[in-house]
Amino acid sequence: MQSQTQLVVVGSAAVDISTMATASTAGDTNLSVHSTSPGTVSMTLGGVARNIAETAHRILTSHTPQLSVATMLVSPVGDDAFGHVLFDGMHRIGMRTDGLLPIPGVRSAVCNMVLDSAGNLTGGVADMDIIQLLDSQTVIVYSTSF
């Protein structure tokens, strides 16, 4: 257990998957319907609460390295590949991961955005049901233990 928590951020940690179609030779920015399109796929850490916690972590750590443990994100994550991506990615940038609450058998939050070749959102799927498993009692008990 780490100490010196000064800021607790509660909410969603998610993996963002963005796909962008490559423009056709005719300059068409539309995606093919009922088919796949050539393009690029990227995966980044996301979730509004996780983004806020990362920003606070970076700002505080830039002032004093000892404040690297000052920000804790409390968020449920699944015990799946995306949950591991969240743990590993947050650890890699020096963020605390002790506030991530692994829940076996549940999908981690993922937002998949489909962009046309001009970068316009054409659709996507946000699988964020896991956040409904985070209740106020869990947050109170968990965040006051630090």
Side-chain angles (χ1 to χ4, degrees):
M1 180 183 314
Q2 297 183 17
S3 60
Q4 304 173 1
T5 303
Q6 296 180 18
L7 173 64
V8 176
V9 181
V10 179
S12 183
V15 172
D16 291 341
I17 300 173
S18 299
T19 60
M20 181 180 281
T22 302
S24 70
T25 55
D28 184 14
T29 61
N30 293 322
L31 294 168
S32 300
V33 177
H34 306 294
S35 180
T36 59
S37 298
T40 59
V41 177
S42 66
M43 183 171 66
T44 57
L45 301 183
V48 173
R50 198 218 58 85
N51 292 346
I52 292 168
E54 179 181 342
T55 301
H57 166 77
R58 290 182 183 275
I59 291 170
L60 292 171
T61 304
S62 72
H63 291 292
T64 306
Q66 291 81 6
L67 292 177
S68 65
V69 296
T71 304
M72 179 175 60
L73 171 66
V74 176
S75 181
V77 295
D79 187 21
D80 57 6
F82 293 120
H84 295 289
V85 166
L86 287 162
F87 270 102
D88 294 344
M90 288 174 58
H91 178 73
R92 192 175 324 108
I93 61 177
M95 289 179 69
R96 292 174 65 160
T97 58
D98 55 333
L100 296 179
L101 310 171
I103 302 176
V106 177
R107 295 180 315 275
S108 294
V110 176
C111 184
N112 180 7
M113 296 158 284
V114 179
L115 310 173
D116 64 20
S117 62
N120 299 311
L121 181 67
T122 62
V125 174
D127 183 357
M128 303 291 181
D129 288 348
I130 192 170
I131 197 65
Q132 295 174 13
L133 300 176
L134 187 61
D135 61 20
S136 59
Q137 188 60 35
T138 302
V139 172
I140 291 168
V141 169
Y142 200 80
S143 63
T144 58
S145 66
F146 292 93

